[in-house]
């Protein structure tokens, strides 16, 4: 069973539908016992960093997330779910993230005709092999919707990058912890393969 963490954020149902489309059982839940008994855990989300952290903390889910990661359950953050895994975000100064990985969330710089937020398809490059992108060719396109991006502190954590005015660390992988800034559930066949790779761990 895949537990999809429910903390009143956007885009949760589309992730649930994608997991079920791939033939896996999915439950949207804020119940710690169900999350910690799951085979896989996904933290999706669209919204503001500060609001999301407040909701996670008020629901008692911050400790649950830490326990799930520490227990070795495969854990995937998507979009805002990636950003929350890190230390802080320029979107919400003074708000501490989950600090499960070192790095900061920066605002995409405007200029050169770039629109912020970035909404649309962009290609990926892979600085190293990763289980999340097994079978995905270099240069594959995925779908982004974001105004902020990850600047990882440890390059060894980065599994995929893209360019949008700046170099963006588009995905990370460390042990049982995985995350994507893009939306695999909206990235057609490539995204379904990425989700399937995660769910088959």
């Amino acid at each position: 069973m895949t537990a999809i963490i429910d903390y009143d954020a956007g885009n949760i149902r589309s992730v649930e539908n994608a997991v079920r489309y791939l033939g896996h059982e999915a439950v949207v839940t804020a119940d710690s016992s169900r999350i910690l008994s799951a085979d896989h855990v996904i933290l999706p989300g669209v919204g503001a960093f500060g609001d999301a952290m407040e909701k996670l903390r008020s629901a008692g889910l911050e400790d649950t997330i830490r326990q799930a990661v520490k227990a070795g359950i495969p854990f995937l953050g998507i979009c805002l779910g990636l950003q929350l895994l890190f230390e802080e975000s320029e979107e919400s100064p003074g708000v501490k993230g989950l600090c499960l990985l070192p790095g900061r969330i920066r605002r995409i710089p405007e200029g050169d005709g770039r629109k912020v937020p970035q909404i649309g398809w962009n290609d990926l490059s892979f600085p190293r092999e990763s289980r999340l992108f097994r079978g995905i060719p270099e240069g594959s396109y995925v779908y982004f919707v974001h105004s902020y991006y990850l600047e990882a502190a440890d390059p060894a954590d980065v599994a995929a990058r893209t360019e949008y005015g700046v170099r963006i660390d588009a995905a990370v992988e460390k042990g049982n912890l995985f995350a994507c800034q893009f939306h695999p559930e909206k990235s057609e066949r490539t995204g379904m393969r990425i989700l399937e790779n995660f769910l088959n761990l």
Side-chain angles (χ1 to χ4, degrees):
M1 182 265 290
T2 297
I4 300 168
I5 297 177
D6 185 3
Y7 61 110
D8 195 27
N11 201 52
I12 288 178
R13 293 297 170 187
S14 61
V15 175
E16 177 190 15
N17 291 339
V19 171
R20 289 184 170 160
Y21 173 80
L22 291 168
H24 295 258
E25 183 185 356
V27 59
V28 176
T29 182
D31 182 87
S32 292
S33 62
R34 298 198 79 180
I35 294 167
L36 294 173
S37 65
D39 300 315
H40 298 80
V41 178
I42 299 178
L43 178 66
V46 172
F49 185 94
D51 289 345
M53 283 306 307
E54 182 180 348
K55 288 174 182 175
L56 287 176
R57 289 183 171 127
S58 65
L61 289 168
E62 182 176 15
D63 287 341
T64 301
I65 289 169
R66 294 183 188 284
Q67 290 176 50
V69 172
K70 188 175 181 180
I73 302 169
F75 190 102
L76 175 65
I78 296 176
C79 193
L80 180 60
L82 170 142
Q83 297 179 10
L84 297 172
L85 300 177
F86 289 84
E87 296 166 281
E88 60 184 7
S89 172
E90 290 181 354
E91 183 177 23
S92 304
V95 177
K96 187 178 179 183
L98 293 167
C99 301
L100 290 167
L101 290 170
R104 287 169 173 76
I105 308 303
R106 309 289 193 192
R107 181 165 173 82
I108 297 172
E110 299 187 28
D112 300 325
R114 277 188 308 280
K115 293 183 179 179
V116 180
Q118 179 195 7
I119 301 175
W121 298 82
N122 215 339
D123 61 322
L124 297 176
S125 62
F126 305 128
R128 63 181 179 93
E129 288 188 12
S130 84
R131 291 167 289 167
L132 200 60
F133 295 100
R134 187 176 293 128
I136 306 293
E138 185 94 6
S140 293
Y141 279 77
V142 290
Y143 190 76
F144 289 84
V145 182
H146 64 130
S147 300
Y148 294 83
Y149 71 96
L150 168 63
E151 185 179 85
D154 187 350
D157 294 339
V158 179
R161 292 192 174 105
T162 194
E163 298 278 341
Y164 192 72
V166 290
R167 189 179 74 175
I168 291 170
D169 295 331
V172 293
E173 176 176 333
K174 184 174 185 178
N176 62 307
L177 191 54
F178 305 81
C180 306
Q181 179 60 63
F182 57 89
H183 290 271
E185 76 284 359
K186 296 181 179 179
S187 296
E188 299 181 348
R189 185 176 297 177
T190 295
M192 288 299 101
R193 177 62 188 269
I194 292 166
L195 276 177
E196 194 166 33
N197 284 344
F198 171 73
L199 294 168
N200 287 336
L201 291 170

